[in-house]
Amino acid sequence: MIAQQGEDAHCAAWIYTKEDIHMKDENGEVDYDIEVNDPELVERIFDDVGNIDYIYEVIQNCVDEVTEEQLMLQQQELV
């Protein structure tokens, strides 16, 4: 992609680490005291997350929506 789009091409990324893995308590509140320290479990969790197409669909829908909004604003500015 760098060779195709150039070193200065804009991009966006979402990064999650094991510190973003939390359990919820019996009240449904996030319990930040519970840490997942098992590397195999962390790997399985992120493998599962990476295979969920819904995430990519939502991101693409957001990109499409914002693109349309920005193009409309740009066209209005040109008038």
Side-chain angles (χ1 to χ4, degrees):
M1 290 182 79
I2 293 171
Q4 180 187 22
Q5 298 181 15
E7 291 181 14
D8 296 329
H10 295 283
C11 69
W14 289 261
I15 298 174
Y16 289 85
T17 67
K18 70 177 186 155
E19 283 77 26
D20 297 301
I21 299 172
H22 302 288
M23 297 293 296
K24 293 186 178 179
D25 64 17
E26 51 281 340
N27 297 322
E29 300 293 322
V30 175
D31 186 344
Y32 293 102
D33 294 329
I34 299 175
E35 292 185 21
V36 178
N37 292 317
D38 180 351
E40 285 183 23
L41 179 57
V42 171
E43 182 178 355
R44 285 182 18 214
I45 290 168
F46 285 125
D47 282 346
D48 284 350
V49 169
N51 290 321
I52 298 173
D53 289 338
Y54 176 74
I55 293 168
Y56 304 108
E57 291 173 14
V58 170
I59 292 170
Q60 187 61 56
N61 288 340
C62 290
V63 170
D64 293 345
E65 183 178 320
V66 172
T67 299
E68 185 175 332
E69 289 173 4
Q70 290 301 316
L71 286 172
M72 289 178 72
L73 284 173
Q74 184 181 37
Q75 288 175 352
Q76 289 174 358
E77 290 171 0
L78 294 175
V79 174

